[in-house]
């Protein structure tokens, strides 16, 4: 009898526990599904930061230069055009200091172009994102020629070996495909922002966090006062880089591409695809990847533009209206340095 009582008690306890369990489970699963519903209704899925405009849209060419001869501070889609006087370095540095960001910086030094690395890196260490985390990725076919430049504490450098090439056009063109692969394999994990820069260049002034934005292009020093029909865009409709003479905002320099890793990935992937289509038709755009970049920026507007302060040319004298030159292409003997004419 005692034994039977114990069995009843046991069954009763088990039943109570099951009921409590069911109530608890019902409550929590109910609250989870309500929460999901709330999340669905309160938070829209995040959109990528893109400023796309349609092909063939008719509007006046924006002028990069105002009546006073100075570069204007805004593009007509309200993207800032960064230049001396538009930002406070102390303030902007202190804002970005809170963000713990890494800026990947890629340069190609293939063939004789390794000779530019020393000045490029030494001048970058004086001027480029000083006090912020920078990771240089140097693509070269001569890793032994990468100079040992002393880097500041938060700056790092990785050498990536690539095959040599006997056509400068191919070296320049292959940058898009190599950037695409590097972003896929490493930069999504290793960096927040990326800049791809020409190595035949030197820094002469500050280049810092004022240049950061989702998608960044630089206005070319030779064309910022020119009408759009004079821009050296690709004009053959057979090429994917084609831009009609009545379209165009600015002429962008191919020596600087920047932005958030995600946005630059989309850019380099698109340009690489367009370059492949051209190659399959045996067409090479007039200024190679710079032509494709200009096409991309026309229909995918940069969220920030850099004034020609950020991409000058040592062969060009500085007008008074340009206050400071920060980064400039050095003078080079094309015949001597390139593998082919
Ligand atoms: N480049 C290189 N080796 C070459 C040709 C080009 O490494 O033989 C790379 C290098 O990074 C260079 C960039 O491609 O800065 C663009 O080429 P270049 O500067 O000759 O073009 P430009 O600025 O004169 O139009
Ligand atoms: Mn160059």
């Amino acid at each position: 009898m005692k034994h039977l009582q114990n069995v009843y008690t046991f069954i009763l306890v088990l039943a109570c526990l099951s009921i409590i369990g069911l109530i608890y489970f019902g409550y929590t699963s109910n609250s989870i599904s309500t929460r999901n519903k709330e999340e669905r209704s309160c938070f829209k899925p995040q959109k990528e930061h893109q400023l796309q405009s349609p092909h063939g849209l008719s509007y006046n060419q924006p002028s990069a230069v105002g009546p006073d001869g100075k570069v204007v501070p805004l593009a007509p889609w309200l993207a800032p055009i960064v230049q001396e006087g538009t930002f406070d370095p102390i303030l902007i540095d202190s804002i970005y200091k809170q963000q713990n960001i890494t800026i990947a910086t890629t340069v190609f030094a293939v063939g004789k172009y390794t000779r530019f690395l020393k000045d490029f890196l030494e001048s970058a260490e004086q001027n480029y994102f000083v006090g912020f985390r920078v990771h240089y990725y140097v693509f070269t076919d001569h890793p032994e020629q990468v100079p040992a430049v002393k880097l500041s504490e938060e700056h790092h450098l990785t050498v990536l070996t690539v095959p040599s090439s006997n056509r400068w056009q191919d070296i320049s063109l292959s940058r898009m495909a190599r950037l695409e692969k590097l972003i896929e394999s490493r930069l999504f994990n290793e960096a927040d922002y990326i800049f791809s820069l020409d190595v035949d260049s030197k820094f002469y002034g500050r280049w810092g966090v004022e240049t950061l934005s989702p998608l960044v292009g630089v206005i070319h020093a030779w064309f910022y006062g020119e009408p759009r029909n004079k821009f050296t865009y690709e004009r053959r409709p057979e090429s994917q880089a084609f831009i009609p003479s009545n379209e165009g905002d600015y002429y962008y320099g191919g020596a600087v591409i920047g932005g958030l890793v995600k946005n630059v990935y989309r850019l380099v992937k698109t340009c690489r695809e367009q370059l492949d289509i051209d190659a399959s038709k045996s067409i090479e755009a007039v200024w190679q990847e710079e032509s494709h970049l200009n096409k991309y920026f026309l229909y995918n507007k940069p969220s920030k533009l850099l004034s020609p302060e950020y991409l000058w040319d040592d062969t060009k004298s500085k007008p008074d209206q340009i206050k400071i030159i920060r980064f400039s292409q050095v003078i080079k003997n094309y015949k001597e340095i390139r593998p082919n004419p």
Side-chain angles (χ1 to χ4, degrees), residues 113 175 198-201 255 311 329-330 332 334 338:
Y113 278 59
R175 288 193 289 179
D198 260 23
V199 74
D200 59 326
S201 334
L311 183 57
Q329 301 265 290
V330 302
K332 62 183 187 284
Y334 283 93
R338 283 180 169 174

